[in-house]
Amino acid sequence: MIVDHLENAALYAPLSPRFAAAFAWLQTVRFEDLVAGRNPVDGTLYAMRNEYVTRPQSELPWEAHRGHADIQYMVEGEERVGFSPLSRMTITHEYNAAQDYALYSGSGDLFLLRAGQFAVFYPGDAHAPGIQVGDTGAPVKKIVVKVPLF
């Protein structure tokens, strides 16, 4: 897992040409120009435009992917995000290859993701985004870029 500010994205471009393309795209895209759901980025990369209200941690599952890394970029708002090594989780929903995810239960650490920051989750990184900060939910706008690893 990586957490940083988008202004530091150049540090992570050397991870792969796909990461370089994803970060370059994130630095130029306007959230308002994206459609709800899936948006093509570059070649095999795509991004999801997400708008939602954060919820209590108890209402959100843990998830992990096998074929993609997620770059989750917070455009507006803030949320807590759960993180744990997948080895500490118990699977609750078998892997869906078509959508590249499985769901888990367990516990982990929380961090705060604020506007202008991104988090990268690799296979092996269980994550639970969308957790409210404080006692009530709040709206967020987020872009999730799916980066194929194979």
Side-chain angles (χ1 to χ4, degrees):
M1 179 188 70
I2 299 168
V3 179
D4 205 340
H5 295 270
L6 189 59
E7 65 195 39
N8 297 325
L11 296 171
Y12 307 100
L15 292 172
S16 78
R18 290 177 178 160
F19 274 99
F23 284 119
W25 181 83
L26 276 172
Q27 291 176 315
T28 61
V29 70
R30 291 175 6 109
F31 185 82
E32 300 77 25
D33 294 338
L34 300 175
V35 299
R38 191 176 176 138
N39 293 266
V41 174
D42 181 22
T44 59
L45 301 174
Y46 67 93
M48 306 296 289
R49 174 189 162 147
N50 295 317
E51 289 186 77
Y52 53 86
V53 175
T54 58
R55 301 186 320 204
Q57 182 177 3
S58 61
E59 295 180 12
L60 297 165
W62 291 83
E63 64 181 60
H65 313 287
R66 292 184 187 172
H68 290 80
D70 276 1
I71 302 175
Q72 298 194 9
Y73 172 63
M74 185 63 70
V75 176
E76 195 173 293
E78 64 182 11
E79 67 184 12
R80 294 218 180 274
V81 180
F83 165 77
S84 178
L86 192 55
S87 61
R88 295 184 187 163
M89 295 283 124
T90 301
I91 193 160
T92 60
H93 183 275
E94 291 299 320
Y95 179 69
N96 179 322
Q99 295 182 341
D100 188 36
Y101 80 96
L103 298 180
Y104 299 84
S105 64
S107 62
D109 298 315
L110 298 177
F111 66 91
L112 187 62
L113 189 65
R114 293 186 168 109
Q117 291 182 304
F118 66 87
V120 176
F121 299 102
Y122 290 94
D125 295 337
H127 51 286
I131 301 169
Q132 68 192 34
V133 177
D135 294 333
T136 59
V140 298
K141 294 181 180 179
K142 187 162 71 170
I143 299 171
V144 179
V145 181
K146 299 292 197 171
V147 181
L149 297 175
F150 309 104

